[in-house]
Amino acid sequence: MARISMDRLRSFSNNASEYLNELQNALNKPHPSKTAPNFSTAAVSELCGIARTQFRYLAGKHHLSIGHKPAGAKSRELTLPETISWIQTIADKPRRNIEAGQLGRVLAVCNYKGGVAKTSTAVSMAQALTLRGLKVLLVDCDAQGSASLLLGFNPETDIDHEKTTILPFIHGDSESLAPAVRTTYWHNLDVIPGCSAILTAEFLLPAKAMTDRDYRFWEVIKNGIDPLRKEYDCIIFDTPPSLGHVTLNVMFAADGLIMPCTPDKLDFTSSVQFWSVFNDLAALFPGAEKKAYDFVTIIPTKVEPKDGHRLTKTWMQEAYGEFMNAIEIPHSAAANMALTQDRTIYDFSKPVNSPESHRRYKDPMNHLADYLLRQLETGWASSTKPTGVSE
Ligand SMILES: Nc1ncnc2c1ncn2[C@@H]1O[C@H](COP(=O)(O)OP(=O)(O)OP(=O)(O)O)[C@@H](O)[C@H]1O
Ligand SMILES: [Mg+2]
């Protein structure tokens, strides 16, 4: 058999890229880009924690939208911005006290194991937190650009890596990460996209450290994101499946660490290694011992009702103790089907397949968002204290 030359390799790679671009465009049809779902009055009432019978009365009292009936539909629907306006006015949810100077909190979703649901958790939580009234920024630090794709950007064609990724800031071309922010189709959810070019950051950071001995290469992203804490209640970082310079930076920028971990023996082993390597590396950085987190949590993801998963969960529980979250995200055909269409479960106003399977996945995701909101509330309250002061 003929050996495969670099030319042939390039040609097969180009073919695959072209095919994927066409597929991406086809998946986005009939719309040129993603659109947010609408919400029934029942869904809005549920999100606001009110009885459906109160809907009309509260709409009149607070001048809120009662929605509109799409042609041929039986019941009224509200747009996402209308729904969020309802939630912000009516729902009894924790709020950041901006007047008191409270700042947004930074959350990092990390694990160097691939495919454990980091990106789907990061994007779903960003969406779910906007449905609790928050303004959220998602930073895609993964060169795969999966989070950007879920937020409606084709990483290889829609993103100008010289402007709207973490790269220009790391190059030193901007004072903060603020100029890289883009709005998305989802109200109150902005993004700093990722694409393959951001891999360069893995090389730039150590290269700069070699030439400048005072360059604190592990605090670059922290310095870039801190100015955005005034504008956003929550900033979520999606990280690559590695513990390189970028992930380290994100972990030093974060107030909360979320590790999705599938309860397979190899995944569990790798997660233990991840924490150990992180601690060893952190010990090398001057001043790192002052770092403190609001919370660190390990979430079992893609959990199946099989003996192997049950057994590994008990090991994880024993190893991680209080750091192991009680919420678990099941392996779900609904999640998989949604993600195959570049969507999360929150993008659908109707069940993706069966209502039971939809709920079985969405309920724990909602519980996770409620858990994060409680952590954020505590974090906001402590954010007016000088940094480095732990409780
Ligand atoms: N709860 C779930 N049930 C079934 N499949 C899931 C679930 N969550 C995620 N998946 C599938 O697992 C795969 C990986 O998900 P995702 O991209 O979120 O993981 P990741 O950790 O970000 O991956 P990577 O390490 O490559 O960045 C996807 O194909 C997705 O459809
Ligand atoms: Mg990912």
Side-chain angles (χ1 to χ4, degrees):
M1 231 168 102
R3 301 189 71 215
I4 297 157
S5 67
M6 287 307 279
D7 270 353
R8 240 183 105 201
L9 202 62
R10 195 172 306 112
S11 129
F12 113 65
S13 158
N14 289 344
N15 286 346
S17 297
E18 262 172 45
Y19 175 81
L20 183 63
N21 274 334
E22 279 167 27
L23 177 69
Q24 226 83 272
N25 291 338
L27 284 176
N28 272 328
K29 279 180 182 163
H31 309 291
S33 61
K34 280 186 88 171
T35 50
N38 285 340
F39 294 78
S40 67
T41 55
V44 175
S45 304
E46 192 184 333
L47 284 165
C48 291
I50 58 166
R52 280 170 75 174
T53 46
Q54 289 178 289
F55 185 82
R56 284 276 176 164
Y57 162 73
L58 288 170
K61 186 174 171 196
H62 296 281
H63 308 289
L64 291 163
S65 167
I66 55 162
H68 52 277
K69 254 189 203 168
K74 284 201 195 112
S75 44
R76 293 182 166 277
E77 287 182 353
L78 283 81
T79 62
L80 176 65
E82 288 168 344
T83 303
I84 287 180
S85 173
W86 261 90
I87 294 162
Q88 289 176 331
T89 313
I90 303 293
D92 183 21
K93 301 275 182 208
R95 296 251 172 283
R96 173 165 69 107
N97 189 339
I98 297 173
E99 288 72 37
Q102 291 185 355
L103 298 171
R105 301 308 267 176
V106 175
L107 311 182
V109 183
C110 45
N111 187 340
Y112 67 9
K113 189 83 188 179
V116 293
K118 291 181 292 296
T119 301
S120 40
T121 305
V123 177
S124 302
M125 288 304 105
Q127 291 170 315
L129 288 171
T130 68
L131 294 175
R132 280 149 183 77
L134 271 54
K135 186 154 188 221
V136 182
L137 172 67
L138 191 138
V139 189
D140 188 355
C141 284
D142 186 357
Q144 296 178 90
S146 315
S148 308
L149 194 58
L150 290 178
L151 289 177
F153 295 92
N154 180 339
E156 300 317 316
T157 57
D158 297 342
I159 296 165
D160 180 353
H161 66 85
E162 286 177 8
K163 290 202 176 97
T164 56
T165 64
I166 56 167
L167 264 193
F169 173 72
I170 291 177
H171 267 293
D173 295 342
S174 58
E175 302 226 320
S176 77
L177 283 163
V181 172
R182 290 184 68 169
T183 52
T184 71
Y185 72 101
W186 191 279
H187 186 62
N188 276 354
L189 172 52
D190 293 344
V191 67
I192 296 180
C195 61
S196 52
I198 67 170
L199 260 186
T200 321
E202 284 300 337
F203 305 99
L204 261 178
L205 289 162
K208 281 194 173 195
M210 298 269 275
T211 52
D212 176 1
R213 287 182 60 119
D214 296 328
Y215 185 66
R216 293 169 70 90
F217 66 90
W218 62 97
E219 283 180 347
V220 178
I221 288 182
K222 176 189 182 306
N223 295 333
I225 207 67
D226 276 351
L228 285 152
R229 289 170 179 266
K230 277 196 185 124
E231 195 179 334
Y232 294 96
D233 302 311
C234 177
I235 299 168
I236 301 180
F237 278 87
D238 184 31
T239 63
S242 65
L243 186 45
H245 289 87
V246 170
T247 305
L248 265 179
N249 259 270
V250 171
M251 291 173 81
F252 274 99
D255 304 302
L257 300 179
I258 304 162
M259 178 193 262
C261 183
T262 309
D264 280 314
K265 173 67 176 32
L266 290 179
D267 294 39
F268 165 51
T269 311
S270 149
S271 74
V272 173
Q273 231 176 52
F274 176 91
W275 295 114
S276 157
V277 173
F278 175 64
N279 281 304
D280 290 350
L281 288 172
L284 302 174
F285 306 146
E289 68 282 356
K290 290 208 195 91
K291 175 78 191 152
Y293 292 96
D294 294 347
F295 72 100
V296 174
T297 193
I298 291 127
I299 300 157
T301 47
K302 301 166 81 166
V303 180
E304 293 175 66
K306 59 184 184 186
D307 290 344
H309 276 195
R310 267 189 288 271
L311 182 59
T312 311
K313 269 192 293 172
T314 60
W315 293 333
M316 288 169 72
Q317 184 65 58
E318 281 171 28
Y320 290 129
E322 62 179 300
F323 294 100
M324 181 84 168
N325 206 300
I327 300 162
E328 57 181 63
I329 310 296
H331 188 275
S332 148
N336 199 254
M337 197 54 211
L339 292 160
T340 305
Q341 299 169 56
D342 294 341
R343 282 160 172 76
T344 75
I345 204 84
Y346 291 97
D347 282 310
F348 293 85
S349 33
K350 303 220 162 55
V352 185
N353 39 19
S354 77
E356 298 72 42
S357 134
H358 190 89
R359 275 270 157 223
R360 213 171 53 82
Y361 174 67
K362 199 169 177 185
D363 283 351
M365 289 303 251
N366 280 334
H367 295 151
L368 186 57
D370 291 332
Y371 164 84
L372 294 182
L373 188 56
R374 289 195 296 278
Q375 306 306 318
L376 289 168
E377 189 182 11
T378 315
W380 293 328
S382 69
S383 67
T384 48
K385 295 187 189 121
T387 49
V389 176
S390 51
E391 292 291 310

